[in-house]
Amino acid sequence: MPPTSAMNNGASTSTSTSTSSRPANGHGHGTYTHDDDPDDLDLILGDDQDHDTTILRDDPLQPDLTPPLTFKRKRAQPSVLFRPARLITSLFHSPASTSRTSHDPPRPLPITTTSTSATPTHLSLKPLPGLPPNPAADHTDFYTDTTTQPSRDWHAEGPGRRVGYADLTAIDWIFEYTKERQRQRALRARTASTPFPLLGVAQRLLDASQVWVVLILTGLAVGVLAAGIDVATDWLGDVKYGFCSSGVDGGRFYLGRNACCLGYDEGAQCRAWRRWGTVVGAGEGVGRWVVEGMVYLGLAVTFALLAAVLVKEYAIHAKHSGIPELKTVLGGFVIRRFLGLWTLITKSLGLILAVASGMWLGKEGPLVHVACCCANLFTKLFPSINNNEARKREVLSAAAASGISVAFGSPIGGVLFSLEQLSYYFPDKTMWQSFVCAMTAAMVLQAFDPFRSGKLVLYQVTYSSSWHGFELVPFVILGILGGIYGGLFIKANMKVARWRKSTAWLPGPVVQVVMVACLTALINYPNRYMQSQNSDLVSNLFAECSRLLDDQFGLCKTGADSAGNIVLLIVAAMLSFCLAAITFGLQIPAGIILPSMAIGALTGRAIGIIMEMWQHNHPKFIAFHSCEPDIPCITPGTYAIIGAAAALAGVTRMTVSIVVIMFELTGALTYVLPIMIAVMMSKWVGDAFSRRGIYESWIHFNEYPFLDSSEETTPIPDIPTAQIMTRIEDLVVLTAEGHTIASLSSVLASHPYRGFPVVSDPRDAILLGYISRAELAYTLYAAARPPRSLPPETEAFFAHQPLADPRATLDLRPWMDQTPLTLPSRCRLHLAVTYFQKLGLRYVLFVDRGVLQGLLTKKDVWYVLNGAEETRRTSGTMAGGGIRGEDGGGGLQTDATREDGEGESAGLLRAVGLADEAELVSPVVDRGSIL
């Protein structure tokens, strides 16, 4: 990807400073510092507890990345046609016998190092988490490169070396793509030198096919998982009402109601399906209703309880829909275990139980999380993808489409959903990859046919009639109502979330889930429209009466019954709104897409019945002159479709993907225009409430480091960057000379900042580069251990020292970013924000004629664009100090402050659910920066 491609990265965060030493699972690692018992283990062992995956997995000290990253232009080689000797050699000799050219990777030279007996005990250097006991034992060329090889040009400008990314930090997009280009260059050089040209071509093809293998495997896995989730959810949801009796008409206990009564036009004719009231022998009337209600309540609460316990005990990242976190991860943030194996298992099982409980939540959003978990696991089969965070995010963007594909039976809609809602960087190749992955998942789901109806989803319908011109008015009204619903729902859900976070006397998350499940069951059971599963409700609301064989909800009744249906539909929509607002955000897997569609469909069906009654009672009205006699003029099911699309657009603020999804659900091209009109009106009205959709609101609520590329969502103030940057007098900078290992270790111990600018000297302050905390800590630690075992008084420098002994000094230039992106200090904030958004930067340095003036980090930009400084000022959390994070110190030039490294880490752990819920006592404590 070119460096100017539009993409986003996550702001770097501070690491935890609370210590607790213990062996790293007995695999030879030293002691490490951790903040949370089970979750920080991924920093050492990875998502799948793989012992080979450590924080150093991206360390370019590996043999294949030994050459330094350089941006020097290679000397052009004369053409083979103008050099007779090379022409003859190329014709009569194999490539392996030719001499090496400048394009070939340099050969490592033998090392010449000296070492002392042991690391000095008086030097306090703690190893990074996951660091091996002897970090240089397996990478002997490291010290050769930095000390004894004059041919290695470490003066070359480049981003420097990197160690692996810690948990809850940002990735370096530019470095990751540079590393990928270097890998491709080495692969081409290696395959070009093989004596068998076809073998080299095959190697390149195999390397290029790795992404496709991952995506096809992901599509297969997602299709199988979606079919299993659909079948299990349908069965558990039906168990709340009864069971399929074995031995009667071929019934089996493990069959749901639809499968048990397959072949019957009406459910009442099915003898194999037995309701709980019949089983216990309750008579007709109130007694039977009470008995079945008690069973319904007990099973609903039990399912919700099991889902909450699974999430709390096995994978806290499996809660909610996962889409806000996915957007943040795809923007360049690292959240370990979020896409791990335990998260996949817990999300799948918990989703089945949560949906079967009858709570107002859906499985569409969580299925996207499930798909990305599958893709993340399959990338571990190919190190070239797994070890490159930028390529991994391209694969995740493509895999996200398969989740929506199996949720709605809409492959094209899934591709557009990933493009419009999730992905920040979505090139053309990713669109094609998304299409293949979504198509594979849909084909697998169609092959399993979980509903035994030939449909990918239960609520997939077709309509036989078209719409009339006068119906545009109610369609516009539905769009306006959808926008109002979206705006009010987001505000209500955010108020509930803030109240839940700030109220100390509330019980734990599991008890909250049980309370909401009990309340939902008590409200759902008396209302026939809310009693059933959301998928069944939406399926019947979408259905056309002429095609409906079994009218379970009485929607096709006429006359006086229609008025009662209208009242029940509106009441059900209002109650569902309240239940969904308090459910979305609980510590269980929960999506908001299907509940929003159900609420919109309830409203749309009510308006459709009103229009049908009006046309039936006043057929001569001027608006109905286009209706043909003796033929149904209005189809209330189409109003339900349009109402569902409007509600979904109002709550998510998506447009094109919703239109395509609804079109693929109905299969009627004629209804595309009404759906587009309703979606357009819904988005306009919803934007009048707030520019943020439900997912963006949760990102802002959790303070995830995500910069939206849309200026409409986050307007940029027209101010100079100098007003908000951290000025040089507030920065902790490092000079080129005058350091020792002990003094640099003291700097790391005294300042928890995530990086330090490097200048020539304190007077001139000519910018030389930038070194991150992780690289500096790793280099100091490695230098103090064998084979070098340098003493604490060893000189360390960041500039060329011609008289320095390379065996007795420490050259830090290889680990320093010698080409950081810089801007003039007088530039406008809009230009700096564009750098962060388009290049995926973590920091920008500001210079005037080479002199360092200040620094701006992504988290500074996030706070300015989201108004968090005013929030902190009013919350009473101010104190003296400055920002401590990716920058070298200082902060925004305001009176507000942010926590140090420990506070930031704890704040983020709370935001992503890793901290103890009992610690969330007040909004002042929990509102700490997660950046």
Side-chain angles (χ1 to χ4, degrees), residues 112-116 787-790 807-808:
T112 56
T113 61
T114 60
S115 61
T116 58
R788 302 199 72 186
S789 299
L790 297 176
R807 294 170 296 181

Side-chain angles (χ1 to χ4, degrees), residues 76 132 137 220 240-241 257 269 326 341 360 385 429 504 672 774 794 815:
L220 295 173
K240 299 197 304 291
Y241 311 100
R257 181 178 180 181
Q269 301 175 354
L326 272 177
L341 177 61
W360 279 84
I385 302 176
K429 64 176 181 179
V672 170
T794 300
W815 298 94

Side-chain angles (χ1 to χ4, degrees), residues 29 34 84 174 192 240 283 495 525 530 565 607 747:
H29 299 294
H34 69 95
I174 295 178
K240 299 197 304 291
K495 283 188 176 182
Y525 187 72
M530 302 173 64
N565 285 338
I607 292 181
V747 171

